[in-house]
Amino acid sequence: MKFRHKKIIAFAKGYRGRGKSCYRTAVARVQRGWRNQYMSRKMFKRDSRRNWQLQINAGSRALGVSYSRLVHCLPLSGIMLDRKLLAELARTEPYSFKAVVETVKATGLKSWQEKRDAQLESNHERNMRHREVQLGRAKPPYPFRDGSQAERLRDIVENEASRRERELTERRASAKAAVREVIESEPTGEPWAGAFEEFMQHVAEVERPLTKQEIEERRAAKAAQADADGERA
């Protein structure tokens, strides 16, 4: 018998019928058992967590705190207890669990309520401000005319374009200044003047955007070149 067969038969020990001795029957039963064991391990963890939540919720609601607020405010109070320990305390040590809940209510829950009230107040102020803007009683909080999304996007695009144009102008000016400085530092600066002007004209020609007619001419030239290459091939 092969080692693989021996291993499967060893796992099938205790099965009834041919499942404990016949490899073909045993391998199906063993694989099905492994699959069920895997799912059972996952379900055990899931069911355990659900039971812990039920026990904690029952104990905390008897003391005036819901499960979600208790679990959320535990780290705020500096209490690092997991759900398993809390459920054990709620089931076997009610006085200890009550002490934990009272500590959370005195520290963590209070800070959470203060943060929640501040958030609600800020949300209310923001909603009222937007309402005033919609009714036309106040100006929008952003520097646009009517606060519409289209206006905002248009202004953003225009600002970005103007910023890029300013950067390009600054770089061009700095390049011109650097070239002029190099030319003036040369002992024979006069002969370079014409070359400098020609160079700057070339730079301006390269940076100039193409017109629609020039684009069409370039496309036609490329197409003609491609046809000529195809005929030669």
Side-chain angles (χ1 to χ4, degrees), residues 76-131:
L76 301 178
S77 303
I79 301 175
M80 307 305 294
L81 295 177
D82 56 2
R83 291 170 177 80
K84 183 177 181 180
L85 293 178
L86 286 175
E88 187 70 20
L89 290 177
R91 188 175 67 254
T92 60
E93 296 289 340
Y95 292 102
S96 301
F97 183 77
K98 182 178 180 180
V100 172
V101 173
E102 294 297 334
T103 304
V104 171
K105 291 170 65 175
T107 56
L109 188 60
K110 185 177 180 181
S111 62
W112 173 78
Q113 289 176 349
E114 292 176 355
K115 291 181 180 179
R116 185 194 61 176
D117 295 341
Q119 184 67 26
L120 291 176
E121 185 177 357
S122 64
N123 292 342
H124 177 70
E125 293 178 356
R126 183 184 60 188
N127 295 336
M128 292 301 296
R129 185 168 61 251
H130 289 178
R131 181 63 176 170

Side-chain angles (χ1 to χ4, degrees), residues 19-74:
K20 66 178 181 297
S21 57
C22 179
Y23 173 77
R24 180 174 295 182
T25 307
V27 67
R29 293 189 181 182
V30 168
Q31 290 178 355
R32 184 166 61 250
W34 288 344
R35 184 168 61 251
N36 294 336
Q37 289 175 11
Y38 176 81
M39 291 302 300
S40 298
R41 288 195 297 269
K42 301 297 181 181
M43 293 300 296
F44 175 77
K45 296 176 183 178
R46 190 181 307 173
D47 295 340
S48 299
R49 186 183 179 90
R50 184 182 297 112
N51 292 333
W52 297 338
Q53 291 175 354
L54 292 175
Q55 294 170 7
I56 296 171
N57 190 28
S60 62
R61 285 190 179 275
L63 299 174
V65 182
S66 64
Y67 165 81
S68 59
R69 292 185 182 179
L70 176 64
V71 173
H72 176 72
C73 296
L74 276 174

Side-chain angles (χ1 to χ4, degrees), residues 149-166:
Q149 188 71 11
E151 291 289 338
R152 296 176 63 184
L153 293 177
R154 190 190 66 181
D155 291 346
I156 290 173
V157 171
E158 291 179 356
N159 294 336
E160 183 67 17
S162 61
R163 183 185 64 81
R164 292 183 178 179
E165 185 65 26
R166 288 196 303 270

